[in-house]
Each structure stands twice: as C-alpha cells, then as structure tokens.
Amino acid sequence: SNYEGGLSSPIMLLAVLPQFLVGLVLGYVRMRFGLPHAILFHSFYNLVLIVIFMMAQSLTPAGDATAVVAVQAALPLVVPAIAA
C-alpha cells in the first residue's frame, strides 16, 4: 500500500478512489484511442492539478496556509469529475 496504515478506513478509500477512477479513464482512452492519446490525457490531467494548486497558493497570504490545505484536501474529490 502507498498509504501508512493501509486502506482500512473509509477515509483512505476516498484517497485512493480518484486514482482508481482516473486509471479506469486512462485505460479506456488507451484502448480506444491509443497510447499517444492516453499520454496526452494524463499530461493534461497533471496540468489541471498543477494549475489548481498554483492558483490556491497565489490566493493565500504567505503566512496563511489554511486555504491551500483545503484545496489540497478537496482535489482528489474534484479533479476526477473534471477528468470524466
């Protein structure tokens, strides 16, 4: 397991669910459209995550990391909806 303590709690399942869903979508894209399209989709997915994270950091003062932590916590729940 990639997570300390395994996947024994429902919270840990929520952490893994977005990875699973994106894996399914990327697998579908790979089988339907080919490897280059899957690589492009994965790159776009990563770009979306980076842009959201950078926007969250730019909106917060240097000493206040509360909003950044909130966005980081919400990303696994929001981004699979964008990707689908």
Side-chain angles (χ1 to χ4, degrees):
S1 149
N2 290 336
Y3 300 97
E4 192 174 306
L7 298 174
S8 59
S9 73
I11 303 240
M12 293 311 290
L13 288 176
L14 285 176
V16 173
L17 184 62
Q19 297 170 16
F20 178 75
L21 294 176
V22 170
L24 286 177
V25 171
L26 286 171
Y28 173 79
V29 170
R30 163 63 176 93
M31 295 305 293
R32 178 77 170 97
F33 301 105
L35 183 61
H37 288 91
I39 292 171
L40 286 173
F41 185 90
H42 190 265
S43 299
F44 178 73
Y45 177 78
N46 289 342
L47 178 67
V48 168
L49 289 176
I50 291 169
V51 167
I52 291 172
F53 180 75
M54 290 177 69
M55 287 174 52
Q57 281 189 330
S58 69
L59 294 175
T60 60
D64 183 22
T66 308
V68 173
V69 171
V71 169
Q72 288 174 342
L75 276 178
L77 303 174
V78 173
V79 175
I82 295 171

